[in-house]
Amino acid sequence: MKNMFSKIEEKHTPVMAPSWLWKKKLLRFSIALLLVGAFSFYLWPQVGPLPVETTDVIHNITITSDVKCEPDFDLLRRLDIHKLAQYERREMIAASAAETNLPTRQRLDIPLMQQQQQHISNSHGQTLDSQSQDDCYITPPITVPVPPRPANVDASHIDFGVATTLGRLNDSLDAFAHWAGYTRTRIFALIEPAKGVEEVRAKADSLGINLLVTESGEEYQTRYFSLVAHLAKNMRSQTRWACVIDDDTFFPSITALVDALARYDDRKPQYIGGVSESLPQIGLFGLMGFGGAGVFLSRPLVTEMSDPEVIKACQEMPHTGDRRISMCIYQYTETRLTVDYRLHQLDMRGDVSGFFEAGREPPLSVHHWKSWFQADMAQLTTITNLCGDSCFLRQWQFADGWLLTNGFSIVKYSTEHDLNDRTMEVSWGGDHGAVDESYLHTLGPLRPKDTGKISYLLEDSLFNGEQVRQWFVHRDSEKGDRILELIWKNA
């Protein structure tokens, strides 16, 4: 009987297989893991997702998510943009003011970079932002007062002379067109013999430049001084001034230049020029009219200097270029230099933004703009096609702290900038041991370089007959470049 009950007990207590025990343990572990996970989800501190900057790479140009419109990729390539972090546009309206003596710098109560919110309501009474989020325009347009545009000037009483090569002359024509085109002035060029003269003459003619080219086998320094006799030989009855320039001399306003020369008595011998801004340069080359700024000789002085005996003696001087002209005048005439401080040699290297952003009366001439520093004067002055020469370098200070120097830059200084401050920021470097004090005699008062200044520099501009488009760029190789496009129209 005992054996029988033992067999029955064995029969009703089956032995579990090892695989079933493993599955049972796994089930218990999974249930426990789910409970722990649910506990963690509801009770553990929640952490939001980290923001991620989205970018698109199109035509090998990276476009960040902050760009709210479709950019012009041809423009971006022209500006050498590899990563675009921001693109904004603003419409500017140039309104001709009744008064002619507007201050060069004016304050406006509207911000430049910040959107002025204009709200409208939908049919449900909900307030909507009138600015589309996928558009780069900042609204509303900004209207700024500008002086009345002057009438076309007649500069037929001024002859210019330049000694250069045919290639450099051709490269200079676009810049020459700004101040010499359709003004009836003449430019006499003495060049070394070269092929292609007729093509350059044709280009000059298409730009309205009255260019007269003469080939000469003389070496450069001799050819440079020969300009004096060449200008004397070609004087017309109306000629009052002869001016010797370099091929990178630029006059921002021919009207302002004509007005400036009218202050001098051209019936007397006159030697008008600008000295170097840097005292070490004056120490090296002397007290003279520096050629890059433009050397202006009145008709009586040109006649006096062009005596064959004087020309011969001066050509034998060991001095070169503009220095030979000054030594000839000092040695063989009683005329002495009259310095016009608006004629600028610009013996400054690197960043010359402080000069152009000073908010002073615009210069009569600038030099070295494609060698000692880079500032495409033909591009910078495109704005004058719309609102005249007096628009160039005119300044407006906006409510958000940005300062527009028209045709050059948009900046925000690291400290508040007084509207009446006429100091010039020493942003550049000099040669031969020049220090800040070296520039006081022509450019003072001065202030130190603002290392915290944020700058958008004009890098391209276009005039289409009705409006001017300017592209100002802030460069940042790490975060991406930022562009502000100003679209100018007349009121």
Side-chain angles (χ1 to χ4, degrees), residues 291-303:
V295 177
F296 290 86
L297 312 173
S298 65
R299 184 185 186 111
L301 182 58
V302 173
T303 301

Side-chain angles (χ1 to χ4, degrees), residues 358-371:
R360 301 178 183 177
E361 188 177 18
L364 289 177
S365 64
V366 296
H367 180 232
H368 282 151
W369 51 274
K370 50 184 177 180
S371 53

Side-chain angles (χ1 to χ4, degrees), residues 265-271 298-301 304 333 335-336:
D265 188 353
D266 58 54
R267 296 169 299 178
K268 299 178 180 179
Q270 299 276 7
Y271 172 33
S298 65
R299 184 185 186 111
L301 182 58
E304 194 174 356
T333 80
T335 305
R336 295 297 175 262

Side-chain angles (χ1 to χ4, degrees), residues 19 65 117 182 245 316 400 436:
S19 60
S65 57
Q117 297 298 327
Y182 303 102
I245 61 173
E316 294 174 354
D400 52 0
D436 289 5

Side-chain angles (χ1 to χ4, degrees), residues 117-118 134 160 233 246 264 273 278 299 302 335 382 399-400 414 442 474:
Q117 297 298 327
Q118 293 183 323
D134 61 355
F160 295 88
K233 178 182 176 182
D246 289 353
Y264 302 102
S278 172
R299 184 185 186 111
V302 173
T335 305
T382 300
D400 52 0
S414 61
T442 59
H474 172 68

Side-chain angles (χ1 to χ4, degrees), residues 69-330:
C69 60
E70 180 70 21
D72 180 344
F73 287 94
D74 289 336
L75 170 69
L76 298 185
R77 283 189 288 270
R78 193 163 72 242
L79 296 176
D80 195 29
I81 302 292
H82 300 285
K83 181 177 181 181
L84 182 64
Q86 189 176 55
Y87 193 108
E88 291 180 323
R89 296 187 182 96
R90 190 122 202 201
E91 190 172 291
M92 306 292 292
I93 309 297
S96 181
E99 60 270 31
T100 58
N101 294 323
L102 286 176
T104 301
R105 182 183 295 162
Q106 301 171 66
R107 189 188 303 276
L108 299 177
D109 293 332
I110 188 172
L112 177 64
M113 297 285 195
Q114 298 170 3
Q115 180 78 27
Q116 275 203 330
Q117 297 298 327
Q118 293 183 323
H119 299 290
I120 57 176
S121 298
N122 63 11
S123 58
H124 301 290
Q126 296 172 319
T127 300
L128 302 174
D129 190 342
S130 63
Q131 175 71 7
S132 171
Q133 292 303 305
D134 61 355
D135 192 1
C136 289
Y137 272 96
I138 303 174
T139 57
I142 298 175
T143 300
V144 297
V146 297
R149 184 167 184 162
N152 292 334
V153 66
D154 181 358
S156 59
H157 60 298
I158 310 173
D159 289 337
F160 295 88
V162 59
T164 185
T165 64
L166 185 66
R168 288 179 64 91
L169 178 62
N170 183 63
D171 292 342
S172 300
L173 289 182
D174 288 337
F176 284 176
H178 170 77
W179 53 269
Y182 303 102
T183 62
R184 300 182 65 193
T185 190
R186 298 183 297 174
I187 299 177
F188 292 88
L190 289 184
I191 66 167
E192 56 194 33
K195 295 181 179 179
V197 173
E198 289 306 317
E199 288 82 352
V200 173
R201 284 197 183 107
K203 178 180 177 181
D205 186 63
S206 70
L207 296 171
I209 302 172
N210 194 355
L211 177 68
L212 298 99
V213 180
T214 301
E215 297 179 68
S216 170
E218 295 177 323
E219 60 88 25
Y220 174 75
Q221 297 299 340
T222 302
R223 189 162 19 107
Y224 188 100
F225 186 79
S226 293
L227 285 169
V228 176
H230 191 67
L231 290 167
K233 178 182 176 182
N234 288 279
M235 285 193 297
R236 300 179 291 189
S237 59
Q238 67 263 44
T239 303
R240 293 293 175 264
W241 295 96
C243 177
V244 177
I245 61 173
D246 289 353
D247 55 27
D248 59 345
T249 301
F250 186 87
F251 300 100
S253 171
I254 192 68
T255 302
L257 180 63
V258 168
D259 290 344
L261 290 177
R263 302 172 190 172
Y264 302 102
D265 188 353
D266 58 54
R267 296 169 299 178
K268 299 178 180 179
Q270 299 276 7
Y271 172 33
I272 312 296
V275 297
S276 174
E277 296 79 9
S278 172
L279 282 176
Q281 293 291 111
I282 297 176
L284 282 173
F285 298 105
L287 189 60
M288 65 176 190
F290 279 66
V295 177
F296 290 86
L297 312 173
S298 65
R299 184 185 186 111
L301 182 58
V302 173
T303 301
E304 194 174 356
M305 292 179 65
S306 61
D307 179 275
E309 295 299 320
V310 173
I311 290 291
K312 182 176 183 298
C314 293
Q315 283 286 32
E316 294 174 354
M317 288 180 170
H319 311 293
T320 59
D322 44 12
R323 194 177 184 195
R324 184 179 296 182
I325 291 177
S326 69
M327 291 296 108
C328 184
I329 293 172
Y330 295 156

